[in-house]
Amino acid sequence: MRSVPPLTAPFGGCEIDSVASKRFAIRTYGCQMNVHDSEKVATLLEDSGLSAADGEGDADVLVINTCSIRDKAEHQLYSDLGKLRAWKAEKPGRVVGVGGCVAQQVGDKLLGRFDHLDFVYGTHNLRKVPAMLEQADRGQRAAWVDEEASQDRFDLPMRRPDAPVGRRHKAFVTVMEGCDMFCSFCIVPSTRGREISRVAVEIEAEVAALAEQGIREVTLLGQTVNAYGRHDVRRGKAATVGTMPFAELLARLDAIPGIERIRYTSPHPLFYDDALIRAHGELAHLCPHVHLPVQSGSNRILEAMRRRYTRERYFEIVDALRAARPDIAITSDLIVGFPGESEADFEDTLGLVERAGLVDSFSFKYSPRPGTTAADMAGEVPAEIAQDRLERLQSQQKAQTLAYHETRVGQTSLVFVDGESRKGQGQLSGRDPHHRVVNVDVAPEAPVGPGDALVVDLVAATPHSLLGRPVDPALQPVPRD
Ligand code: 5AD
Ligand code: SF4
């Protein structure tokens, strides 16, 4: 373990409560893997006797789970840490820890830069958090950012078996971690390490346990989730290791009683084979939605990005998915302003968004990341041009999303309720099988809430969501005559 000695006696000699009575809060940035990592850290801390605080003001331990995908996300950490000096000084015994991708990247240098920071844990070192916390209590600061290449890194309690899920219907399940693709713009291969797939029986056991606890929807997680098992399959070792092609894993999970919805994120276009496409037409619980990052619509830029497919191949996959599952909704990630991107390249991206019929997309301005090959490429796109392209892309997408939502009006759908909508006032919000947000007005006294499934008529569309009306008259806000 890499650790550094304490710089000063920790908390001015004050009496420190035992670790077990402490209350923790976790601030999470970034993707679903980070959200899920924070859930795992929370469970580890609860297993060590700590309890979740009502908010940060009320916490003794604050963990920041960081993202470094773009420089803005990384700077967020430095700004947060600056402000946390005052938070820490407010109450003796307070502890601050940093994990996630920036922690992995910057490592123990963070301790040197911020003397009020107590511990740093890397993306493979979640299990070390309780021990580091105990050390912090003794005034020892530490950073632990070693790569863990074995299956051990999946050996984390998702949730204590006896802990009630409450009114929750969905959960994340890690199936693989790391990325070996090295797209030229992306920092993930250096923050998440090499690809490793989790043994299938462990995944099945976790999904079955979740189903028994009342979970009806699982989202399978991995940096390139559909690359699951590929290295073992290629080496002829899948049976020995206990992995298999991704489509087979999906079929096994589809057969688990109680699981009504299966999603996966994020796949890479390179790993769509016939079996995976067929799975979308055959598996009863696989949702009619795929989030399939394309990044650019220009073959020249795709090559410079090292994405290893062409726009034509992307269309082939999208068309095949639609042939297998005609109502499938396809969403994507897009980057504008990659080095050397011309107006014509950008127009190819606009053309792809239309031709692929993207229902929605996340779009970003390219942000150079340290250690990536694109960071040294010539042809920087001026900031105002990148901004203009982002706005044009987003306005086209908004129109396409609205047009898609309008095609859904008049249909009946099943919404799994997540909670209150943004509007509040008793309006509920959830997701349909296509992963669209559906807001539903219900009668004030209606016995429905988070975790429930609601059959609704889709009655109106906006660019951001659909409006649903419960089919059951008893749940409608104004009873029918
Ligand atoms: N700059 C801008 N966007 C990026 N992404 C990844 N790396 C960068 C970068 N350097 C985007 C990609 C990816 C999503 C998670 O973040 O679109 O799919
Ligand atoms: Fe990053 Fe490319 Fe790996 Fe996705 S596939 S995590 S964009 S390197």
Side-chain angles (χ1 to χ4, degrees), residues 22 69 177 179 187 197 215 245 284 298 313 382 437 468 480:
K22 284 182 183 278
I69 197 90
E177 279 190 355
C179 181
I187 201 165
S197 294
I215 294 291
S298 152
R313 174 65 189 145
V437 172
R480 282 185 193 146

Side-chain angles (χ1 to χ4, degrees), residues 179 181-183 185-186 188-189 224 268 307:
C179 181
M181 296 303 288
F182 292 91
C183 298
F185 54 82
C186 186
V188 166
T224 49
H268 189 293
R307 288 292 291 181

Side-chain angles (χ1 to χ4, degrees), residues 25-96:
I26 306 180
R27 208 185 273 184
T28 306
Y29 293 105
C31 62
Q32 287 103 325
M33 330 291 156
N34 265 17
V35 172
H36 192 34
D37 282 350
S38 289
E39 291 172 351
K40 292 171 181 171
V41 168
T43 308
L44 285 163
L45 292 176
E46 283 169 1
D47 284 353
S48 307
L50 284 86
S51 55
D54 294 330
E56 292 178 5
D58 175 45
D60 307 294
V61 178
L62 182 61
V63 176
I64 309 182
N65 191 357
T66 61
C67 170
S68 59
I69 197 90
R70 286 167 290 275
D71 63 347
K72 220 163 133 192
E74 182 179 341
H75 288 131
Q76 182 73 46
L77 171 68
Y78 302 130
S79 146
D80 282 11
L81 279 175
K83 291 181 196 148
L84 281 175
R85 208 178 278 282
W87 177 86
K88 188 160 169 173
E90 265 168 34
K91 194 172 161 197
R94 276 184 161 168
V95 171
V96 179

